[in-house]
Structures are given as structure tokens and as C-alpha cells.
Amino acid sequence: ATPKPYLARLYVSHDFGFGDETEHFDSDENQLAGDRPMTRYTVVVGRFTVTDFFDNNRYSHDPRTQFMGWSLMYNGAWDYPADTRGYTWGWLHEFHTRNWSLRYSSAAEPKVANGLRFDRRLLRDRGDMFEVERRYEIRKHPGAIRLLDFLLHTDSGTYAKALQLSAQTGARPDVTATRQPGTLKYGAGVSIDQELTRDIGLFSRLGWNDGKTESFAFTAIDRMASGGISVGGRSWNRKDDVVASAFIASGLSGVHASYLAHGGFDFLIGDGRLNYAPEYVWESYYSARLFPGFFTSIDAQHIENPAFKHDRGPVWIWSLRLHLELSKETF
């Protein structure tokens, strides 16, 4: 393919501070070093991925350095607004205190499922997301819990209408034939992470959506649960190394599974005769720092019933990942 320039992130962020207390931030991805008000109201406007701000998890959020499975990067049941590369245009409002954060964002949805162009009818088609985050400590070990709600308005179809239309015509069910602007998908998610010791942490996610509406922007999952453990390498004298393992169980709603069993297709899955079963994934990785700024990881995923089909798999997927970070330490 001919290389083409692509704009991933371009946004403006402004803090409105309350009080004199501040907190310090080091330079990191999407973050400049400096001090910010501890209690603040922040507005972000521009191009970004909503996963930069929502559904965070200390041990399972960044596929560049942590888990690579989609339901471990983010909540798989959250069909978050994005183009085919994962980015969108929108704005974010956040009120942040020492222990609490409240977030709201409205972002553009693609014109078609997994599309690259955005729907400009924002009063009718858009993604609205709300999140409450509570940070705390248990015996001086930090933890956090985040509650996510989402309302996604898209020019999409519904599986029940596709099955009804198929019964009337005798044709293969096609959810795209039932698309209507403003179709609503809604759901919720929970993300939890808890440090047990300085080098050991546990994490978990739960996710659910109504399962009635066409899979549109992220992936075809209607229910999911995940949990795992992350261990730092200090005990074997490799303080920058990490070994981690997690399990994910995901599934479809009854009408979604019926649509695929009758020959329907989503933008990601469907083979004409789905023999439905929940999908189970076990993923583990070891990340090692070879020298300052350069990391390598070995990752293994074992998948039972890939794409929710009992007749398929199991399959092993092995990956080798190289990661370079340029910082003062690198030089």
C-alpha cells in the first residue's frame, strides 16, 4: 500500500484550578511534565482516542507495553466511537480531586461500521460516555475503581429487525439493511486495579451492552469479564521487567448469536452458520528491559472458541514485541 499521512492526536487541554494544592506529572505518553492543580475542571477539545481518558487500568491498558488482547487493552463490550484506526474528534470534560474524578465526553461516530469517515450529524449520531473514578489506599497500597456508562447513537441496524426481514424475504439476514440514523446502543463497564505489594497487582474488568444493535466501531462482544495479575521483576533483580497473566471470558446476546447462526455477518465476525459458544482467552507476557529505553516482550494467547464458534480452535498465538522510548534516561 502507498504510505499516507494520518493524524492520530491533535487536541487542546485547559485546566481551571481551584485552591492552591498541586500535583506533579512527569513526561509520558500524551502528557507533559509540570504541575497541575489538584482540584481542577479540565476541558479537552480536538482529535484523540477516547481510551486515552476512559476505562483506564494500571496493569491492563496499553498494548504497547502490556496485554495485546482487545478485551484486555480496553473493555470489549464498550463499542467506543472511533474510526477504523481507533481515533475520533470530540471533547472531554473532567472534574478531578485528590480521590475522585468525574468525566464526560461526546465524540464522533463513523458513517458506517468500522469506517474511516465520520458522521457529521452530531446532534443525532455520536457517542456519549460518562465515568466515575474513585482512588483509594489499602494499607498504603493504591487502588482504583471506575464505573463507565455509554450511550452510542449511530446510523446502524438491529439484529431482531434483520431476522424479521430475513423471515419475510427468505434471504440471508443482513443487519446493514435495517440501518437507521440515531439507533441507540447502551451499556456499562467496571475497571478495578489494586496493588498488593510494591511489585504485585491484581486487576479486573466487567462489561455489558444491550446486544441488540449492530457491532459498529470496536469489536463484537456483548458481555465480558476479565481478571489477572501483574508482577514486577524486583525480586529477581530485574526491577524494570514485568510478567503478567490474565483470563477473559466473553460472549454474545441471544439475538446476536441467533443472527450469526442464521447466516448473518458483522463487520468482524460471521461464517454463515455459527455454532455458538463463549470465547475464552488466556494471555500471558514477559516484558524485559534490555537497556535504557528499549524493551522486548514475549506474549502468548490461548483462545478457545475463537469468534464464538464451538467448531473452531483452540488456537495459540505467539508474539514478539519491541518497544523503544526516547527520554532523558535513554541518553
Side-chain angles (χ1 to χ4, degrees), residues 69-90:
W70 284 10
S71 282
L72 286 172
M73 297 179 195
Y74 320 121
N75 193 316
W78 174 32
D79 200 11
Y80 66 88
D83 64 11
T84 189
R85 294 186 175 99
Y87 300 92
T88 186
W89 294 92

Side-chain angles (χ1 to χ4, degrees), residues 123-306:
L123 295 179
R124 184 168 58 185
D125 295 331
R126 67 185 182 278
D128 293 318
M129 292 139 292
F130 310 84
E131 187 173 62
V132 179
E133 178 178 352
R134 174 69 166 97
R135 296 174 292 278
Y136 57 85
E137 289 189 352
I138 299 177
R139 296 183 179 179
K140 297 184 178 181
H141 294 293
I145 181 170
R146 303 163 193 87
L147 305 178
L148 171 70
D149 290 300
F150 50 90
L151 302 171
L152 310 175
H153 306 264
T154 56
D155 187 1
S156 58
T158 60
Y159 300 117
K161 289 183 179 178
L163 287 169
Q164 292 172 2
L165 186 60
S166 174
Q168 295 170 3
T169 63
R172 177 180 61 84
D174 181 6
V175 72
T176 66
T178 68
R179 286 177 173 170
Q180 290 185 343
T183 300
L184 174 65
K185 174 183 284 190
Y186 57 89
V190 181
S191 174
I192 303 171
D193 57 73
Q194 177 62 57
E195 181 182 276
L196 299 182
T197 71
R198 184 168 58 168
D199 293 313
I200 301 176
L202 299 177
F203 60 91
S204 179
R205 276 192 180 94
L206 299 174
W208 175 90
N209 67 55
D210 58 58
K212 303 174 184 178
T213 310
E214 178 183 2
S215 300
F216 207 74
F218 182 35
T219 192
I221 293 175
D222 299 325
R223 295 92 173 85
M224 60 83 59
S226 68
I229 184 171
S230 178
V231 181
R234 201 182 308 269
S235 61
W236 58 92
N237 299 318
R238 298 279 303 177
K239 66 181 183 66
D240 296 307
D241 290 9
V242 176
V243 60
S245 188
F247 177 77
I248 316 104
S250 56
L252 302 177
S253 67
V255 68
H256 194 172
S258 178
Y259 166 79
L260 295 171
H262 284 80
F265 295 93
D266 278 336
F267 77 87
L268 276 178
I269 64 173
D271 61 2
R273 52 174 189 173
L274 182 74
N275 182 13
Y276 175 75
E279 182 183 81
Y280 303 110
V281 182
W282 192 285
E283 181 176 358
S284 302
Y285 74 87
Y286 186 98
S287 174
R289 191 182 84 153
L290 302 184
F291 48 83
F294 188 79
F295 297 79
T296 185
S297 304
I298 297 176
D299 182 280
Q301 298 180 59
H302 182 262
I303 305 175
E304 295 276 353
N305 310 319

Side-chain angles (χ1 to χ4, degrees), residues 106-125:
S106 184
E109 293 277 6
K111 294 185 70 173
V112 297
N114 199 38
L116 194 58
R117 299 180 63 186
F118 289 103
D119 192 334
R120 297 183 180 180
R121 299 168 294 186
L122 298 179
L123 295 179
R124 184 168 58 185
D125 295 331

